[in-house]
Amino acid sequence: MAGKQAEDAPRDADIKNDQSGFIGRIRRFKPKEVFTWQLARTVAMGQGLAGLICGTAISSQYLAADFHVNTPMLQSFLNYSLLCVTYTTMLLCRTGDGNIFQILKIRWWKYLLLGLVDVEANYAVVKAYQYTTLTSIQLLDCFVIPVLMVLSWWVLKTRYRPLHYIAVCVCLLGVGAMVGADLLAGRDQGSTSNILLGDGLVLVSATLYAVSNVCQEYTVKNLSRVEFLGMIGLFGTLISTIQIVILERHEIATIQWSWQVGLLFGGYALCMYTLYSCMPVVVKLTSATSVNLSLLTADLFSLFCGLFLFQYHFSGLYLVSLVVILIGFITFNAVATPSDPADPDPSSSSSSSPVTWEEGCYDNPAATDNYTTNQEVAVRITAEEEEEEERQSEGEEEEEEKRKRRKRRRGSGPSCSLGGGMVDEDVAAVGRSTKM
């Protein structure tokens, strides 16, 4: 009996400690430290990106429904051309390691692959609408979130906490509510000619988007936002031009041009250009996973606009879906995502390799400030060491001077006579040892 009580005592103590720890965390919770202006700005910027995607969806739907224009590569070409004119020109005007020729010399093949991935991701998801339904695309497009989390864990060494996984599940529940609202409203549009091919294209597109977004996060946080956009614009323009010639030359030849068609093309290109220009800023503040969670509301914004533009049927589940996705997004951003502590210190690598720092931080203000701060600290430490050495040398000189004064005082005291002269005690001792 006594042994059983002794076994139960540690278990009760552990339960009490767990409860006290959980209750303690609840008591220590301060809403002001979580719901900050930084979080509000992140939510606002994420929903701004979702609004831009809504603009691209509406313009594309008008082109396809009212003017029978189905040229996704031409629309992508306009976006990449604007990026090339803006950011590639900025790289041409740079000097040193930030110049476009230096970048191409070192990393041209990486940006070629990244441009190919980005172009094909955009093309595959648009092509999927010809083979499968809107419901399948909305559901399978969420596949980008788990792929992003796996790639971020593997490539970027991001370590997610349990709350992050809960937040992602909440966002996916919101997507499920949105799909349910579509089914109730009879909005299961799209083709069913080859559902298996269409669903496969959606999964391929989601995977390619995840790869592109992880590469984007790595580039803007370690290299340069302008470099990423300039290289994407350059190689995206080249690749999309080749694909237009191969795949869409007949569709472009049959377009009946008017000012409405030109305005819709311009609106689409402007929305995509703004999206590509602003997305790296939000990714740098948060993460690629966080940005894609915020983009889940883009379909809802398109639906709300469609209520007035395309006479969609309203369902209360749309509002429920929006609230649930926003709750999951806010929860995900309320807790920081730490990196792997086993990674080497980036400051040590930058200090040991100046060339790497110049390649990686010439357009990264945070990295530049850190480097400058480290240099100032090093100079300050060196100056303090020099002052300490000077003080030590001065102290040694003072000690030497004191020894000399003590010797002179001893010399003026007891002495012995050797050859009729007055000598120091040390010399007298030498004389005595010689006589002996």
Side-chain angles (χ1 to χ4, degrees):
M1 188 70 180
K4 185 177 180 181
Q5 292 177 352
E7 291 177 358
D8 293 339
R11 296 177 185 175
D12 296 338
D14 293 338
I15 293 173
K16 290 181 180 179
N17 290 333
D18 293 339
Q19 291 177 350
S20 62
F22 178 73
I23 295 174
R25 284 194 294 268
I26 294 177
R27 290 176 178 175
R28 290 193 299 268
F29 175 74
K30 297 180 180 179
K32 291 183 178 180
E33 295 180 357
V34 176
F35 301 102
T36 61
W37 284 110
Q38 175 71 19
L39 178 59
R41 186 174 64 172
T42 300
V43 174
M45 289 189 296
Q47 296 313 297
L49 296 179
L52 292 172
I53 292 183
C54 172
T56 63
I58 291 174
S59 58
S60 296
Q61 187 161 354
Y62 267 120
L63 284 172
D66 294 354
F67 300 97
H68 307 288
V69 175
N70 187 17
T71 54
M73 286 311 307
L74 177 60
Q75 294 170 231
S76 297
F77 169 79
L78 296 176
N79 169 48
Y80 291 124
S81 298
L82 290 176
L83 293 175
C84 183
V85 169
T86 305
Y87 296 102
T88 309
T89 304
M90 292 173 65
L91 293 178
L92 280 170
C93 298
R94 283 182 171 183
T95 58
D97 292 333
N99 185 265
I100 186 172
F101 299 107
Q102 292 294 327
I103 296 172
L104 291 174
K105 183 179 179 181
I106 299 172
R107 296 183 286 272
W108 68 270
W109 63 273
K110 297 179 181 178
Y111 286 115
L112 175 62
L113 294 177
L114 181 57
L116 182 63
V117 166
D118 195 76
V119 171
E120 300 310 323
N122 290 322
Y123 181 75
V125 70
V126 175
K127 197 69 176 177
Y129 282 93
Q130 299 180 12
Y131 303 104
T132 189
T133 61
L134 175 65
T135 302
S136 297
I137 292 175
Q138 289 175 332
L139 285 174
L140 295 177
D141 195 45
C142 297
F143 184 67
V144 68
I145 304 297
V147 176
L148 259 176
M149 297 183 75
V150 171
L151 290 177
S152 298
W153 179 86
W154 180 41
V155 178
L156 304 177
K157 308 302 180 185
T158 303
R159 297 298 178 255
Y160 296 101
R161 296 176 179 175
L163 188 61
H164 293 122
Y165 296 105
I166 295 174
V168 170
C169 292
V170 170
C171 290
L172 296 181
L173 285 176
V175 174
M178 177 180 62
V179 172
D182 285 341
L183 294 176
L184 292 176
R187 195 176 165 267
D188 190 20
Q189 300 173 353
S191 174
T192 57
S193 60
N194 195 337
I195 294 179
L196 185 62
L197 176 60
D199 293 348
L201 287 173
V202 177
L203 294 177
V204 170
S205 174
T207 304
L208 293 178
Y209 269 128
V211 174
S212 176
N213 289 339
V214 168
C215 293
Q216 180 182 17
E217 181 176 354
Y218 176 83
T219 304
V220 300
K221 288 185 177 181
N222 295 279
L223 296 174
S224 165
R225 166 180 170 268
V226 175
E227 177 180 330
F228 172 80
L229 294 174
M231 292 295 99
I232 283 290
L234 176 62
F235 289 105
T237 302
L238 295 175
I239 295 170
S240 58
T241 301
I242 295 172
Q243 287 197 215
I244 285 175
V245 174
I246 297 174
L247 301 174
E248 293 185 355
R249 61 182 184 272
H250 299 298
E251 287 79 359
I252 295 175
T254 59
I255 294 176
Q256 296 180 355
W257 292 97
S258 62
W259 68 268
Q260 294 97 332
V261 173
L263 185 63
L264 290 172
F265 270 109
Y268 177 90
L270 185 61
C271 287
M272 284 296 289
Y273 172 77
T274 308
L275 174 67
Y276 269 70
S277 300
C278 296
M279 190 170 179
V281 178
V282 186
V283 167
K284 190 172 184 178
L285 290 175
T286 57
S287 65
T289 305
S290 174
V291 171
N292 278 271
L293 288 176
S294 68
L295 297 182
L296 294 177
T297 59
D299 289 334
L300 288 169
F301 292 161
S302 300
L303 290 170
F304 294 147
C305 293
L307 295 174
F308 303 98
L309 300 176
F310 306 109
Q311 287 74 49
Y312 290 159
H313 296 289
F314 177 76
S315 174
L317 281 177
Y318 289 138
L319 294 178
V320 175
S321 175
L322 177 62
V323 172
V324 172
I325 292 175
L326 288 178
I327 290 174
F329 176 67
I330 293 172
T331 305
F332 186 91
N333 286 277
V335 179
T337 52
S339 299
D340 188 358
D343 289 342
D345 186 7
S347 60
S348 61
S349 61
S350 62
S351 61
S352 62
S353 178
V355 177
T356 303
W357 177 87
E358 291 175 1
E359 291 176 2
C361 304
Y362 56 82
D363 192 49
N364 191 337
T368 305
D369 294 341
N370 292 336
Y371 179 78
T372 306
T373 304
N374 292 337
Q375 292 294 95
E376 292 176 353
V377 172
V379 171
R380 191 181 304 116
I381 292 174
T382 305
E384 291 176 355
E385 290 177 351
E386 292 178 353
E387 292 177 358
E388 183 66 23
E389 291 178 356
E390 291 179 358
R391 286 195 296 269
Q392 290 179 357
S393 61
E394 291 177 357
E396 291 176 356
E397 292 177 358
E398 292 178 358
E399 289 293 331
E400 185 66 25
E401 188 66 28
K402 290 179 181 179
R403 287 196 210 97
K404 291 181 180 179
R405 285 198 295 267
R406 284 197 295 270
K407 283 186 179 182
R408 284 196 294 270
R409 283 197 298 269
R410 287 197 299 268
S412 61
S415 60
C416 62
S417 177
L418 182 61
M422 301 294 293
V423 294
D424 200 346
E425 288 180 346
D426 295 336
V427 178
V430 173
R432 286 195 295 271
S433 63
T434 305
K435 289 181 182 178
M436 293 172 63

